[in-house]
Amino acid sequence: AVAEADSLWKERDDRGQLVAALAKYEEAYAADPNNQHVAVQLTRGYYFLGDAHESELEAKATQWQTSIEWGKRCVAINADFTALLEKGDEDEISAIEKAATKDDVPCLYWTATSLGKWAKDTQSLSTLLKHKDTVKKYIETVDRLDPEYYHGAASRYWGAYYAALPSFAGRDYDMSAAKFAESLELAPHSLSTKVLWADRWAV
């Protein structure tokens, strides 16, 4: 199932191929819930389904919520993180800070990306602010553990983050521009960074 899903994933620009890939990944996850590659692909895949293949906000929100649910399962594969939560002395944010490793970076990044998009683009301002600290901690952890992941993803995220915040909650256009520039230093080839910089900062 994993091999079939990975093959279909290569054609994810086609919605039908992506949906078929996700079905195969879900089949593989049912057989092995500790397969982190599969959990990452499900988290990333449902994010991409909402971002690239849905046009209505309600449909986007549904796919991003599904991505967030898979992301939580993905992070929970880390046994130390799960043990800290089960012990009851830590909340999700502090457990991530203490237990996350470089292997968790893809789980954290794609979960934060879906959570941020879901909250900002489809929910109320109060919902955005409610989840701000969780998103921030996830991306801080990505930045600390693997700043080069996915073409300077953490810096790119900060660029969008500081431009998108309400003014009373920490919007900072200078910081936004600096972070976009930092991301391009890490990955000068990344067209997505340039497009996001134009969309979230320049406008």
Side-chain angles (χ1 to χ4, degrees), residues 130-203:
K130 175 183 176 182
H131 294 287
K132 180 170 74 76
D133 290 343
T134 300
V135 169
K136 188 175 182 182
K137 178 54 63 180
Y138 274 36
I139 299 298
E140 283 175 349
T141 305
V142 172
D143 209 359
R144 172 171 56 85
L145 294 173
D146 192 1
E148 295 185 10
Y149 175 71
Y150 203 67
H151 322 297
S155 296
R156 180 170 58 251
Y157 198 103
W158 290 130
Y161 175 89
Y162 283 110
L165 284 175
S167 56
F168 66 84
R171 180 188 298 157
D172 188 333
Y173 287 123
D174 290 339
M175 179 66 79
S176 171
K179 288 299 182 180
F180 278 128
E182 184 177 280
S183 183
L184 282 178
E185 286 181 13
L186 291 169
H189 61 277
S190 177
L191 182 60
S192 61
T193 300
K194 297 176 184 180
V195 171
L196 197 60
W197 193 346
D199 181 52
R200 294 301 173 100
W201 179 86
V203 173

Side-chain angles (χ1 to χ4, degrees), residues 28-39:
Y29 181 87
D32 181 10
N34 290 313
N35 187 321
Q36 194 171 53
H37 167 70
V38 168

Side-chain angles (χ1 to χ4, degrees), residues 8-73:
L8 290 163
W9 175 259
K10 295 175 184 178
E11 307 297 327
R12 62 191 175 277
D13 284 350
D14 181 297
R15 192 184 195 281
Q17 297 290 86
L18 175 58
V19 170
L22 293 171
K24 282 294 178 183
Y25 281 129
E26 290 191 19
E27 181 183 326
Y29 181 87
D32 181 10
N34 290 313
N35 187 321
Q36 194 171 53
H37 167 70
V38 168
V40 167
Q41 292 299 88
L42 285 163
T43 307
R44 180 181 173 185
Y46 278 104
Y47 162 77
F48 187 67
L49 184 57
D51 194 56
H53 291 295
E54 302 288 6
S55 57
E56 300 296 328
L57 282 181
E58 186 175 349
K60 286 179 177 290
T62 297
Q63 305 300 352
W64 289 334
Q65 283 179 302
T66 303
S67 170
I68 294 163
E69 291 166 7
W70 281 112
K72 290 183 179 298
R73 297 176 194 175

